[in-house]
Amino acid sequence: MMAELNDGSVVELPKDCDCITHEGPHWLHANDLWRDRNRSLMGTARAPSADPARRMLAMQGLAREEMARLAEKGRLFERHGIARLIRAADQND
């Protein structure tokens, strides 16, 4: 995983844990897991069989969780001086 830092330099983000389930920093992997869990709320919110109150609560929960996730991700970007992530697909352009 590569990142562009606030000073314009591009660096590889180092692996900072002993996990064997992912590459790159653990905080970024945790963010991806959090995002994936949030997507399950979207499934509930869109389920035509769910009653309207349950759908509304799922959407509210999704909004709150996404705000919290993105705030934490922004805090970690600041802490590490990251302007943007460069995923493997971005490097092929």
Side-chain angles (χ1 to χ4, degrees), residues 1 8 16-17 40 43 47-48 58 60-62 66 70-72 74 78 85 87:
M1 171 66 60
D16 57 359
C17 64
S40 70
Q60 287 176 342
L62 173 64
E66 279 295 282
L70 292 171
E72 177 65 6
E78 264 188 55
L85 296 176
R87 303 261 179 191

Side-chain angles (χ1 to χ4, degrees), residues 43-54:
T44 301
R46 289 185 172 176
S49 61
D51 67 88
R54 184 176 171 95

Side-chain angles (χ1 to χ4, degrees), residues 9-11 13 16 18 21 23-24 26 30-31 35 41 45 54 57 62-65 67 69 72 81-82 84 92:
S9 62
V10 175
V11 298
L13 296 176
D16 57 359
D18 293 327
T21 58
E23 296 299 320
H26 191 83
N31 175 75
R35 182 194 62 227
L41 291 170
R54 184 176 171 95
L57 290 173
L62 173 64
R64 287 180 179 161
E65 283 296 309
M67 286 189 314
R69 180 184 71 82
E72 177 65 6
I82 296 172
R84 72 180 180 101
N92 295 329

Side-chain angles (χ1 to χ4, degrees), residues 4-9 77-78 80-84:
E4 179 182 347
L5 301 182
N6 292 331
D7 66 5
S9 62
F77 268 43
E78 264 188 55
H80 295 286
I82 296 172
R84 72 180 180 101

